Amino acid sequence: AQSVTQLDSHVSVSEGTPVLLRCNYSSSYSPSLFWYVQHPNKGLQLLLKYTSAATLVKGINGFEAEFKKSETSFHLTKPSAHMSDAAEYFCVVSTRTGGGNKLTFGTGTQLKVEL
Amino acid sequence: EAGVAQSPRYKIIEKRQSVAFWCNPISGHATLYWYQQILGQGPKLLIQFQNNGVVDDSQLPKDRFSAERLKGVDSTLKIQPAKLEDSAVYLCASSSSRARGEKLFFGSGTQLSVL
């Protein structure tokens, strides 16, 4: 079975400093991995996805993630945090089931951005 | 482009009552998903439809939960009777296909409180 583990439930950074949200995956074959963001009272929004092309994936709002097979990691980074980045972030792995595309979510990392 | 619409936005019921949620996916999206997100956890897939057929309902508690997608467009999710542990946000999502790596578009969810 495929799964993801988000290593931090809460991360707090100052505005203008780098962001690092950590995710490790478990998969028996090359996975499809995603990062989704959830702002309060809003729907989940795709930040970026990895589907076996370039290992460094660039997403929206200046976020990027690097797929590292040797470390089974897919950490999310941003060089400079903005107040609007405060939200919950989910690392997600996609599994092909009998006819379907099943997304398995991590437990989430709450990002707090302080002035 | 209109997003995924869900209603109601909030619902409060007593245990053993029944409740229904409605979802209207993005026009033309063949694949529709219902997720349950319990506070502090990542979303968990309940059921996935391809057009009006079910492709994955392995995690749907079928003794109390039911879902349908008549005509392959709108969908309803019903709980009867509700239990305290059903308190959660119920998210609907849609995608244009069920290919692995396909982007999902999420609605804002229905927050259910069971008292």
Side-chain angles (χ1 to χ4, degrees), chain B residues 14-84:
Chain B
E14 295 187 349
K15 61 183 179 182
R16 290 188 290 273
Q17 286 186 323
S18 58
V19 64
F21 313 126
W22 173 83
C23 173
N24 185 16
I26 291 174
S27 178
H29 279 192
T31 313
L32 185 147
Y33 311 77
W34 282 102
Y35 282 83
Q36 179 193 57
Q37 185 177 16
I38 293 173
L39 187 64
Q41 300 180 18
K44 182 187 80 171
L45 179 68
L46 291 175
I47 189 167
Q48 179 185 349
F49 292 93
Q50 181 68 17
N51 296 309
N52 60 347
V54 176
V55 296
D56 186 349
D57 63 356
S58 57
Q59 297 190 90
L60 187 73
K62 298 179 186 65
D63 58 334
R64 297 183 301 106
F65 286 65
S66 64
E68 61 182 9
R69 192 184 183 197
L70 300 176
K71 301 181 182 178
V73 182
D74 293 8
S75 177
T76 56
L77 176 69
K78 296 179 181 178
I79 307 175
Q80 182 180 12
K83 292 185 175 181
L84 296 176

Side-chain angles (χ1 to χ4, degrees), chain B residues 74-96:
Chain B
D74 293 8
S75 177
T76 56
L77 176 69
K78 296 179 181 178
I79 307 175
Q80 182 180 12
K83 292 185 175 181
L84 296 176
E85 59 260 36
D86 298 332
S87 294
V89 176
Y90 291 84
L91 298 166
C92 180
S94 70
S95 63
S96 57

